[in-house]
Amino acid sequence: MKRLYLLGLMAGVSLHSIAAQTPSSLLDDKPAFIASLIEQMTLEEKIGQLRLISIGGDMPRERMLEELQAGHIGGTFNTVTRPDNRPMQEAALRSRLKIPVFFAYDVVHGHRTIFPISLGLASTWDLATIATSGRVSAIEASADGLDMTFAPMVDISRDPRWGRTSEGFGEDPYLVSEIARTMVQAYQGKSPAAADSVTASVKHFALYGAVEGGRDYNVVDMSPLRMHQDYLPPYRAAVDAGAGGVMVALNSINGVPASANSWLLKDLLRRDWGFEGVTLSDHGAISELIRHGVARDEREAALLAIKAGVDMSMADSLYQQELPGLVASGDVKIGEIDKAVREVLGAKYDMGLFHDPFRRIGLAQDDPKDRNAENRLHRKEAREVARQSIVLLENRDRTLPLKRSGTIALVGPLADSPVDMMGSWSASGVAKQSVTLRQGMLDALGNKAKLLHAVGANITDDKHMVEYLNFLNWDSPEVVQGPRSPAEMIAEAVAAAEQADVIVAAVGESRGMSHESSSRTSLQIPASQKALLRALKKTGKPLVLVIMNGRPLDLNWARNNADAVLETWFTGTEGGHAISDVLFGDYNPSGKLPISIPRSVGQIPTYYNHLRVGRPYVEGKPGNYTSHYFEEPTGPLYPFGYGLSYTDFDISDVRLSSSTMTRDGGIEASVTLKNVGQREGATVVQLYIRDEVASVIRPVKELKDFRKVSLKPGEVREVTFRVDEDDLEFVNAQLQRVAEPGAFEVQIGLDSQRVKPAKFTLL
């Protein structure tokens, strides 16, 4: 208590307990402490704890300080420095009960050091690597005085038209669940109360990635069976990992908005899953219940949200405005208010704020002189994670790695764009600190080769898209659309290409094109860039494409015309160095796709673990009256789990320890993996299970485990997976998790299509 008392004096608090009338002896008894505190609170103070307010966006700072001092705010977001947060905490501790406030922010894939976007993190298929990004993010965010991150985002995404595909970890329930668990543990560390940890608030609960048509904020209509089998598991994994918060989604679910959905928040989340943390509405979601058409007015909107179980109202005034009257009328019981307040105070307790309100803010004299110092501390980690996120899609005639000799032409609007390297939701990252591809290649080449550079094209020449991106203010207008004509820019690029031995073209999307509210009707690379690529192809020089994007794009032209294709997503602060490491062979790419790349928009949704049908298409056989499209080949352009290397791997047939499995037992499935190439490299060995016959239709296969393995040339290693009853379970028509007896097929391979099978029977 000594530290608490000293900090209280520092903040002008004369009492030796954070809560004015709460005995300090209760501080180590969480339930008793919170109960005592609630007992002392007025209704106005209780409602104040349910408000999550954006500094600047919702109210000016001066008003914010007044509201905090009055005890009318429970948490804030969008301030990210200690000098900004310290006065607000001091103001909160001048309130009657001296209840601390918490500070939150969207730390999704890095705070000051920016790591690859979430889709890129998932491409590593390496949980330890992903954990590194989360732990560094927590260290940097907490060092800035933040207590909570609105992450991880674990929405399953199977429609790449959705702009927020970039924020998630792909299409597969198992992979996303494993990453969800990893990120929660990385953010929260050994304890969310630790000074270098932040509380994870998993989002967006629930099913946001399944919005109709891939259009942001749209409706979700889904069967309970699919919901429980495919889309809910990642949220459950995050909750089971101890996530302290859950952000409620903006979408409706089967006709009921998530923010008014008591089944979702009370029955499923709290009763069935045992969640004990705090629930937060998404930005303005409670007032949006009126536009959804389920609330007549603001009063009813607040009523529906608090009744459904939304504890905190983000960027929304309705709780403060309407709850007093609802309590007075008896429509809302004081016990319902107390329950929400208990969750908010419980989250603050778990953050350690009642023991030390300045746990992460510290003393003014300890503030760093350079608020971006963290960015320099973690560049090594950023580079390593980014290298692992890169997926090699094509490499004809071993075009890559490039030689450090001769002349290389680097062209494209994304070749030297620091802001786009960071991708969407780049927190407190500073664009000028990002390493662009151009800078990375210059550093890699030194004086060994000549690098020519030309922009070659605007990101887009589409007037509507340019206006939209400039409106977002996430992209600089010079990058989106420059002052020169398209013909002049292409001519300059072709001139550079004709002088070069090889062309590297950095093309794709600007970060604003793969963001919230950036849904697209097309997956095409913008026409301005396609014209550039066609002109470069005509030079006859080897063409290497570096794709930067936040969603799967239509890469048919790239596959048919480029000599090599690297899928780099948005690689973050050290992206230019990481991509250059791969281009020049200093790092052998090992990334695998966490999401299928369709051939066209018409194939959407395209995902590997689709349900079986009665008339399946069989490759190589006549397609009449089978489930397929007749205009183009069936199946994705690049499948889930796919990714090449600069070496080659051979995998043996599957060996099973037994052909039968008992309920209380398990079997082992093994393969021999060999590096048959000339370079050291890593690949991901993937285990899939196919349930041959069940009471409901089952997917053609499901990922159940994976292992990343690094081998030297000629090295051989046995890779063994254990399969038990849990791996065979599914959700049946009664929404029960069961494993039914019968035949199963184990499939092991290096992607979801190239697999070796073996069969066993569950007794």
Side-chain angles (χ1 to χ4, degrees):
M1 291 299 297
K2 184 178 180 182
R3 166 71 171 162
L4 176 64
Y5 176 67
L6 291 175
L7 286 168
L9 291 178
M10 230 179 62
V13 179
S14 59
L15 299 174
H16 63 276
S17 174
I18 289 301
Q21 305 301 320
T22 301
S24 60
S25 60
L26 287 180
L27 193 56
D28 292 329
D29 185 340
K30 177 182 174 182
F33 175 80
I34 292 174
S36 175
L37 194 51
I38 291 174
E39 187 177 351
Q40 302 171 57
M41 298 174 75
T42 65
L43 177 60
E44 184 180 35
E45 289 168 333
K46 291 175 180 179
I47 293 171
Q49 287 300 306
L50 308 185
R51 300 178 68 211
L52 182 56
I53 302 300
S54 173
I55 289 90
D58 297 335
M59 65 175 64
R61 183 173 294 275
E62 294 75 17
R63 174 72 184 283
M64 177 74 72
L65 294 174
E66 294 174 4
E67 292 283 284
L68 285 165
Q69 189 164 321
H72 293 169
I73 294 175
T76 74
F77 62 106
N78 285 346
T79 54
V80 292
T81 67
R82 294 185 191 181
D84 284 342
N85 292 347
R86 187 176 294 108
M88 288 189 285
Q89 191 67 284
E90 291 170 351
L93 295 182
R94 289 193 294 271
S95 64
R96 187 179 75 89
L97 293 178
K98 301 169 179 55
I99 299 174
V101 68
F102 71 80
F103 302 95
Y105 199 46
D106 288 279
V107 181
V108 178
H109 57 103
H111 181 59
R112 295 201 178 278
T113 303
I114 305 303
F115 290 90
I117 60 171
S118 299
L119 209 53
L121 292 176
S123 295
T124 68
W125 286 62
D126 190 312
L127 297 179
T129 295
I130 294 168
T132 295
S133 74
R135 190 85 283 273
V136 169
S137 299
I139 290 169
E140 293 186 355
S142 60
D144 265 351
L146 295 174
D147 305 298
M148 174 185 281
T149 173
F150 301 136
M153 194 279 250
V154 301
D155 303 320
I156 294 290
S157 177
R158 293 172 173 176
D159 190 335
R161 293 173 297 181
W162 190 45
R164 305 192 81 164
T165 297
S166 62
E167 292 177 52
F169 301 111
E171 71 183 41
D172 180 65
Y174 178 81
L175 180 60
V176 178
S177 294
E178 290 297 295
I179 298 174
R181 185 178 296 110
T182 296
M183 289 298 283
V184 168
Q185 293 169 346
Y187 286 136
Q188 298 188 168
K190 294 180 180 178
S191 166
D196 64 351
S197 293
V198 292
T199 293
S201 183
V202 63
K203 64 184 184 186
H204 305 85
F205 191 64
L207 320 181
Y208 195 23
V211 285
E212 192 172 275
R215 195 166 71 251
D216 217 352
Y217 319 124
N218 208 355
V219 301
V220 173
D221 202 310
M222 183 183 295
S223 72
L225 187 59
R226 167 156 284 194
M227 196 184 297
H228 285 272
Q229 186 66 41
D230 293 349
Y231 283 83
L232 290 176
Y235 308 110
R236 177 69 185 270
V239 168
D240 288 348
V246 167
M247 181 186 287
V248 184
L250 293 166
N251 57 277
S252 61
I253 299 171
N254 297 342
V256 181
S259 296
N261 199 318
S262 59
W263 167 80
L264 181 71
L265 302 180
K266 288 185 174 180
D267 298 347
L268 181 68
L269 181 63
R270 294 205 183 271
R271 184 194 66 196
D272 296 348
W273 294 0
F275 177 67
E276 296 181 347
V278 61
T279 57
L280 323 162
S281 80
D282 205 338
H283 199 288
I286 296 177
S287 62
E288 290 173 13
L289 295 176
I290 301 170
R291 291 194 289 275
H292 274 293
V294 298
R296 287 185 296 271
D297 51 25
E298 294 176 332
R299 183 179 189 277
E300 188 172 16
L303 174 66
L304 288 172
I306 196 71
K307 288 281 189 182
V310 179
D311 298 328
M312 294 194 82
S313 170
M314 179 193 286
D316 197 306
S317 63
L318 296 195
Y319 272 7
Q320 182 186 41
Q321 175 184 316
E322 303 295 341
L323 287 182
L326 287 166
V327 172
S329 68
D331 292 302
V332 173
K333 306 300 182 186
I334 192 65
E336 293 173 301
I337 301 293
D338 288 351
K339 184 181 184 304
V341 173
R342 186 162 51 249
E343 308 302 354
V344 176
L345 297 180
K348 293 182 181 183
Y349 187 98
D350 293 341
M351 294 172 189
L353 294 178
F354 285 113
H355 288 81
D356 183 353
F358 295 88
R359 184 177 297 270
R360 297 174 187 86
I361 298 173
L363 304 174
Q365 59 262 35
D366 296 329
D367 287 351
K369 294 180 181 179
D370 180 358
R371 62 192 293 258
N372 286 305
E374 300 98 328
N375 182 270
R376 291 191 290 274
L377 291 175
H378 299 118
R379 285 195 173 266
K380 179 180 178 181
E381 292 93 333
R383 185 170 182 166
E384 177 57 29
V385 174
R387 296 196 304 184
Q388 292 194 48
S389 72
I390 295 168
V391 184
L392 178 62
L393 297 180
E394 298 288 344
N395 194 22
R396 292 188 182 84
D397 302 321
R398 304 283 182 180
T399 300
L400 294 178
L402 299 176
K403 296 181 175 62
R404 285 183 168 90
S405 61
T407 301
I408 300 172
L410 173 63
V411 301
L414 294 167
D416 201 26
S417 178
V419 69
D420 289 309
M421 296 302 295
M422 298 191 299
S424 63
W425 296 107
S426 51
S428 293
V430 178
K432 66 181 180 181
Q433 294 178 344
S434 295
V435 179
T436 67
L437 179 55
R438 183 186 185 188
Q439 185 60 55
M441 292 181 70
L442 286 170
D443 292 345
L445 290 171
N447 297 321
K448 297 177 182 177
K450 185 176 181 180
L451 184 69
L452 303 176
H453 172 249
V455 174
N458 296 313
I459 289 285
T460 178
D461 290 325
D462 180 88
K463 182 179 179 181
H464 175 76
M465 189 175 289
V466 170
E467 290 176 351
Y468 178 69
L469 293 172
N470 289 341
F471 167 76
L472 294 178
N473 199 30
W474 292 322
D475 304 84
S476 101
E478 293 78 29
V479 175
V480 175
Q481 188 174 49
R484 292 180 296 164
S485 73
E488 290 175 321
M489 298 171 76
I490 288 178
E492 180 185 43
V494 168
E498 288 176 339
Q499 300 175 56
D501 302 300
V502 63
I503 306 165
V504 176
V507 295
E509 299 179 309
S510 68
R511 67 170 183 163
M513 293 170 69
S514 279
H515 204 288
E516 181 178 354
S517 192
S518 292
S519 301
R520 296 184 61 189
T521 59
S522 169
L523 300 181
Q524 294 284 335
I525 293 173
S528 56
Q529 299 180 60
K530 289 174 68 177
L532 169 65
L533 293 178
R534 286 191 293 267
L536 294 174
K537 177 66 177 177
K538 290 179 181 178
T539 66
K541 302 296 178 71
L543 179 60
V544 176
L545 298 190
V546 174
I547 311 296
M548 300 183 188
N549 49 310
R551 55 159 63 84
L553 296 176
D554 183 336
L555 298 179
N556 284 281
W557 189 94
R559 184 179 191 179
N560 294 329
N561 291 277
D563 296 282
V565 181
L566 284 179
E567 173 58 85
T568 69
W569 312 111
F570 295 114
T571 40
T573 299
E574 277 288 314
H577 284 146
I579 298 170
S580 296
D581 288 342
V582 171
L583 285 173
F584 294 109
D586 298 319
Y587 183 83
N588 190 349
S590 60
K592 299 281 188 175
L593 294 176
I595 190 168
S596 304
I597 297 182
R599 297 176 186 274
S600 65
V601 169
Q603 278 194 338
I604 295 171
T606 296
Y607 52 98
Y608 85 93
N609 53 342
H610 56 86
L611 295 179
R612 293 157 69 179
V613 296
R615 295 187 177 187
Y617 174 82
V618 180
E619 191 71 40
K621 293 188 177 180
N624 287 347
Y625 305 106
T626 62
S627 181
H628 73 292
Y629 299 105
F630 66 80
E631 301 104 322
E632 62 186 12
T634 297
L637 189 67
Y638 296 105
F640 174 84
Y642 175 86
L644 302 177
S645 168
Y646 292 156
T647 191
D648 296 304
F649 296 95
D650 181 72
I651 195 168
S652 72
D653 290 337
V654 179
R655 301 181 298 277
L656 298 181
S657 60
S658 174
S659 61
T660 59
M661 189 178 111
T662 60
R663 289 280 177 174
D664 56 352
I667 63 170
E668 291 186 342
S670 302
V671 293
T672 301
L673 181 70
K674 182 176 183 180
N675 183 342
V676 295
Q678 304 302 310
R679 298 174 60 98
E680 182 175 356
T683 191
V684 180
V685 184
Q686 303 160 36
L687 170 75
Y688 298 87
I689 298 287
R690 175 185 171 97
D691 191 343
E692 296 289 9
V693 180
S695 58
V696 296
I697 299 173
R698 304 289 293 118
V700 293
K701 66 183 67 179
E702 295 176 290
L703 180 71
K704 291 298 181 180
D705 205 349
F706 56 90
R707 202 77 45 78
K708 196 164 192 176
V709 181
S710 181
L711 297 176
K712 295 178 181 178
E715 187 177 359
V716 176
R717 186 173 305 171
E718 183 173 280
V719 180
T720 300
F721 298 98
R722 180 174 176 82
V723 179
D724 57 29
E725 186 175 345
D726 287 347
D727 298 311
L728 310 183
E729 288 184 348
F730 65 95
V731 179
N732 66 12
Q734 289 73 45
L735 303 184
Q736 302 164 325
R737 288 200 62 82
V738 297
E740 296 176 347
F744 291 83
E745 184 175 85
V746 172
Q747 301 177 3
I748 301 179
L750 303 184
D751 62 51
S752 59
Q753 287 188 351
R754 296 179 299 159
V755 295
K756 300 289 184 71
K759 294 182 182 294
F760 71 95
T761 301
L762 175 66
L763 301 176

PDB file of all heavy atoms in Angstrom, residues 8 32 112 452 508 588 681:
ATOM      1  N   GLY A   8      -1.088   8.380  -4.552  1.00  0.00           N
ATOM      2  CA  GLY A   8      -2.275   9.135  -4.207  1.00  0.00           C
ATOM      3  C   GLY A   8      -1.925  10.562  -3.823  1.00  0.00           C
ATOM      4  O   GLY A   8      -2.575  11.524  -4.244  1.00  0.00           O
ATOM      5  N   ALA A  32     -14.939  -8.700  -2.487  1.00  0.00           N
ATOM      6  CA  ALA A  32     -15.348  -7.857  -1.366  1.00  0.00           C
ATOM      7  C   ALA A  32     -15.022  -6.395  -1.635  1.00  0.00           C
ATOM      8  O   ALA A  32     -15.815  -5.496  -1.311  1.00  0.00           O
ATOM      9  CB  ALA A  32     -14.657  -8.324  -0.087  1.00  0.00           C
ATOM     10  N   ARG A 112       4.238   0.922 -31.700  1.00  0.00           N
ATOM     11  CA  ARG A 112       5.163   1.845 -32.386  1.00  0.00           C
ATOM     12  C   ARG A 112       5.979   1.079 -33.424  1.00  0.00           C
ATOM     13  O   ARG A 112       6.172   1.549 -34.536  1.00  0.00           O
ATOM     14  CB  ARG A 112       6.057   2.555 -31.376  1.00  0.00           C
ATOM     15  CG  ARG A 112       5.254   3.470 -30.444  1.00  0.00           C
ATOM     16  CD  ARG A 112       6.107   4.527 -29.793  1.00  0.00           C
ATOM     17  NE  ARG A 112       5.291   5.396 -28.949  1.00  0.00           N
ATOM     18  CZ  ARG A 112       4.576   6.420 -29.391  1.00  0.00           C
ATOM     19  NH1 ARG A 112       4.576   6.706 -30.674  1.00  0.00           N
ATOM     20  NH2 ARG A 112       3.867   7.153 -28.559  1.00  0.00           N
ATOM     21  N   LEU A 452      17.673   1.031 -60.443  1.00  0.00           N
ATOM     22  CA  LEU A 452      16.920   2.110 -61.078  1.00  0.00           C
ATOM     23  C   LEU A 452      15.507   2.111 -60.500  1.00  0.00           C
ATOM     24  O   LEU A 452      14.933   1.047 -60.255  1.00  0.00           O
ATOM     25  CB  LEU A 452      16.860   1.900 -62.589  1.00  0.00           C
ATOM     26  CG  LEU A 452      18.209   1.780 -63.318  1.00  0.00           C
ATOM     27  CD1 LEU A 452      17.980   1.485 -64.793  1.00  0.00           C
ATOM     28  CD2 LEU A 452      19.039   3.046 -63.136  1.00  0.00           C
ATOM     29  N   GLY A 508      -0.247  -3.518 -56.093  1.00  0.00           N
ATOM     30  CA  GLY A 508      -1.312  -4.066 -55.256  1.00  0.00           C
ATOM     31  C   GLY A 508      -2.255  -2.985 -54.787  1.00  0.00           C
ATOM     32  O   GLY A 508      -2.758  -2.196 -55.589  1.00  0.00           O
ATOM     33  N   ASN A 588      15.179 -17.691 -46.818  1.00  0.00           N
ATOM     34  CA  ASN A 588      14.423 -18.598 -47.675  1.00  0.00           C
ATOM     35  C   ASN A 588      12.951 -18.534 -47.263  1.00  0.00           C
ATOM     36  O   ASN A 588      12.617 -18.854 -46.121  1.00  0.00           O
ATOM     37  CB  ASN A 588      14.954 -20.023 -47.515  1.00  0.00           C
ATOM     38  CG  ASN A 588      14.386 -20.979 -48.551  1.00  0.00           C
ATOM     39  OD1 ASN A 588      13.451 -20.647 -49.274  1.00  0.00           O
ATOM     40  ND2 ASN A 588      14.950 -22.177 -48.613  1.00  0.00           N
ATOM     41  N   GLY A 681      16.009 -24.685 -45.558  1.00  0.00           N
ATOM     42  CA  GLY A 681      14.709 -24.026 -45.617  1.00  0.00           C
ATOM     43  C   GLY A 681      13.728 -24.626 -44.640  1.00  0.00           C
ATOM     44  O   GLY A 681      13.982 -25.660 -44.023  1.00  0.00           O
TER      45      GLY A 681
END
